[in-house]
Amino acid sequence: MNKRIKIFIFCFLASLFLYAQNNTKGYYKDVFVDGGMRLSSRADLPSARVLGLQMEVFMSAKKLKDYTSMDTLLQEQCFSGSTIDENGILLYPDGEPRFRMVFLHGGLAGAHGKTLGERGRNNIRKFVANGGSFVGSCAGCYITSRGVMEDSLTLRETYLGIWPGLCRGTKLSDTPTGISIEKKSPLLKYYAFGGDRFVDSVYHNNGAFAYTKEMWPAGTEILARYDTHGINVKREIQNEIAIWAYKADRYSGRIVPCGSHPENVRTGERLDLMCAMVQYALEGNGDPTVKGELKNGEERVMDRHTHDNIPAFTRIGDKQYHHFTVQVPKQAKELRLTLKSLMGYEDVVMYLCANPGDFAFIDNAEYKQVALNADKQLVIKNPKAGTMYVSVHCATTVDTIMTAYGTQYTGRTDVLNGVPYTIKAEIK
């Protein structure tokens, strides 16, 4: 059995284990790993396994000479969309993030960005703007920025610009460095790192640091710096910023770029460093949003497609929540919520939840209807006056298989383009 097949079998078995541990709410899964064209293609992310996170992955051939039209086709379907998944794997039909986080491997940032195409790049930007987080190492660090500052400023349209700053190359290749964690770094919330805030021998290969002298984005957090004592360097990078974080607003995700490579280590403080980066990114997922207010007696039809670009009335995706509010007057005797599927989707499982004063999820909702069907009613006697949060959750999802290109979908792939339904609130 060759090495690549062993890796796929291992990753498939690991995915079964992770499925049982999934505590994600409001997302399909936790982590999507981009090991696509012009990047390192690895099926494993040890930090995701350590943290008990559900993970999927896209991989291309490892070398440029081995690329085929299948690499291009599958990557395009993954990030830009297809007939069975118009919005692409990262986004729900309404543009909300389907995963909690994307991790992007090392490799060639600009070349990978070019292979993503404009639509693929824009989908990742939308993913972050709408609440999905992003962690990248080396190339995955560069690509978060607007461009590079070397002898002069070079803005790169094939970068994502999700961190509106600039990177600068270290000119250090195939050499480990120390990483010194800042005294007030949020990474210290998760691990003590031996009490000295120092991580030794983190692999580095032509990575970057955050360029601070101009175009420094407000709100950027410095998490850790390079320590190159005892290392011969072409460019002085002692105390330059190795790891940082950025979150544009409460509804966007958090970006955590790293110029080095802690992602493949399976033990010790370097693994802890990667786990801390992932945890801080996930902690920065955007706040949930409300689709709209349900008016007494008015049926709201949620049947629009991605291409209609009307997210407030767009279909629901697999394992997604749609949130609404209802204003309950004083002395109301009853609130009746009615959820109905539309033709062709009667066999889909959807849940209906309600919670006074806060977003309604299955694990915290005071009221819920979780029968294994689509159509249901939820009757609340003497509801509390004020704002009642109502949610619809689509429990039906796809099945997955592992292939030479990573995770592929089977089964109920029709839900990828969304499930239409109606929701109505009646107050007596």
Side-chain angles (χ1 to χ4, degrees):
M1 184 181 295
N2 67 44
K3 183 177 180 181
R4 197 174 185 192
I5 293 175
K6 288 180 180 178
I7 290 173
F8 297 144
I9 292 174
F10 163 77
C11 197
F12 175 68
L13 293 175
S15 70
L16 296 178
F17 171 71
L18 294 174
Y19 183 83
Q21 298 191 77
N22 180 44
N23 294 314
T24 302
K25 59 182 182 182
Y27 299 88
Y28 162 68
K29 286 182 182 176
D30 297 297
V31 179
F32 184 83
V33 177
D34 180 5
M37 300 175 70
R38 310 309 300 272
L39 298 177
S40 299
S41 294
R42 294 185 176 94
D44 188 23
L45 187 64
S47 56
R49 291 190 286 111
V50 168
L51 297 172
L53 303 175
Q54 265 195 306
M55 180 179 71
E56 291 186 358
V57 59
F58 172 72
M59 296 180 294
S60 67
K62 293 185 181 297
K63 296 181 180 179
L64 179 62
K65 65 180 180 64
D66 296 327
Y67 286 161
T68 68
S69 58
M70 187 61 70
D71 294 271
T72 301
L73 175 63
L74 291 179
Q75 181 170 286
E76 181 178 356
Q77 291 178 346
C78 182
F79 292 100
S80 298
S82 63
T83 54
I84 67 167
D85 185 10
E86 182 184 352
N87 25 277
I89 200 170
L90 297 182
L91 300 175
Y92 281 125
D94 59 0
E96 293 295 306
R98 190 163 170 262
F99 291 81
R100 294 176 68 195
M101 189 193 96
V102 167
F103 173 73
L104 196 143
H105 271 295
L108 299 176
H112 179 62
K114 184 176 181 180
T115 67
L116 287 171
E118 184 176 3
R119 182 182 173 100
R121 294 192 299 271
N122 284 338
N123 278 349
I124 296 176
R125 293 175 184 127
K126 181 183 288 188
F127 171 87
V128 173
N130 289 348
S133 293
F134 188 103
V135 175
S137 63
C138 199
C141 162
Y142 275 108
I143 204 170
T144 65
S145 71
R146 295 174 58 209
V148 295
M149 175 61 79
E150 292 297 336
D151 297 328
S152 61
L153 169 62
T154 304
L155 299 178
R156 298 195 185 278
E157 65 177 15
T158 56
Y159 284 9
L160 300 172
I162 50 179
W163 172 62
L166 301 173
C167 286
R168 194 172 195 185
T170 62
K171 296 188 176 181
L172 185 66
S173 61
D174 198 21
T175 302
T177 78
I179 297 290
S180 179
I181 299 169
E182 294 286 276
K183 288 183 179 180
K184 296 183 179 180
S185 173
L187 301 181
L188 297 172
K189 295 190 296 183
Y190 312 106
Y191 302 93
F193 299 102
D196 59 2
R197 296 183 288 106
F198 182 77
V199 181
D200 194 16
S201 301
V202 179
Y203 182 67
H204 189 91
N205 191 28
N206 295 315
F209 59 88
Y211 187 75
T212 60
K213 293 183 180 178
E214 56 185 90
M215 298 187 185
W216 181 248
T220 302
E221 299 176 88
I222 301 171
L223 307 186
R225 298 177 185 269
Y226 291 113
D227 188 320
T228 57
H229 283 112
I231 300 173
N232 292 322
V233 294
K234 294 180 180 179
R235 169 174 281 166
E236 181 55 61
I237 61 170
Q238 176 67 23
N239 290 327
E240 295 288 2
I241 302 168
I243 307 172
W244 60 100
Y246 176 79
K247 182 174 167 67
D249 56 54
R250 60 181 292 195
Y251 296 108
S252 66
R254 178 174 287 134
I255 301 141
V256 183
C258 175
S260 295
H261 287 280
E263 70 273 12
N264 300 315
V265 184
R266 293 171 171 80
T267 187
E269 289 187 351
R270 292 172 296 169
L271 174 60
D272 293 344
L273 178 63
M274 185 65 192
C275 287
M277 290 165 54
V278 170
Q279 286 173 281
Y280 191 51
L282 293 175
E283 186 183 301
N285 283 139
D287 291 350
T289 58
V290 174
K291 292 292 182 188
E293 184 177 325
L294 301 177
K295 303 298 184 181
N296 187 16
E298 294 182 13
E299 189 173 64
R300 186 183 181 102
V301 181
M302 304 292 294
D303 66 345
R304 301 302 179 95
H305 294 274
T306 298
H307 60 260
D308 295 319
N309 198 27
I310 311 175
F313 294 91
T314 295
R315 301 170 176 219
I316 193 169
D318 55 333
K319 300 177 76 172
Q320 186 181 18
Y321 281 89
H322 279 180
H323 299 283
F324 306 91
T325 58
V326 179
Q327 296 305 316
V328 180
K330 294 180 180 179
Q331 284 82 48
K333 295 181 179 180
E334 179 182 285
L335 170 61
R336 182 181 297 267
L337 301 169
T338 303
L339 172 66
K340 291 183 179 180
S341 61
L342 297 185
M343 184 177 296
Y345 291 89
E346 297 87 353
D347 60 341
V348 169
V349 177
M350 291 189 287
Y351 301 151
L352 182 60
C353 301
N355 207 38
D358 198 5
F359 286 96
F361 295 95
I362 293 169
D363 63 350
N364 77 326
E366 187 171 341
Y367 310 100
K368 65 194 75 174
Q369 214 325 346
V370 295
L372 296 177
N373 55 22
D375 299 353
K376 39 185 60 75
Q377 277 196 344
L378 185 58
V379 179
I380 302 171
K381 298 294 185 180
N382 302 312
K384 184 178 178 180
T387 302
M388 181 74 73
Y389 284 79
V390 176
S391 71
V392 176
H393 175 67
C394 178
T396 299
T397 187
V398 294
D399 297 320
T400 62
I401 57 172
M402 286 300 295
T403 73
Y405 289 91
T407 311
Q408 296 292 313
Y409 293 151
T410 63
R412 291 300 303 263
T413 57
D414 58 315
V415 301
L416 295 172
N417 278 331
V419 175
Y421 64 93
T422 65
I423 179 78
K424 181 167 69 172
E426 298 170 282
I427 302 170
K428 297 181 181 179

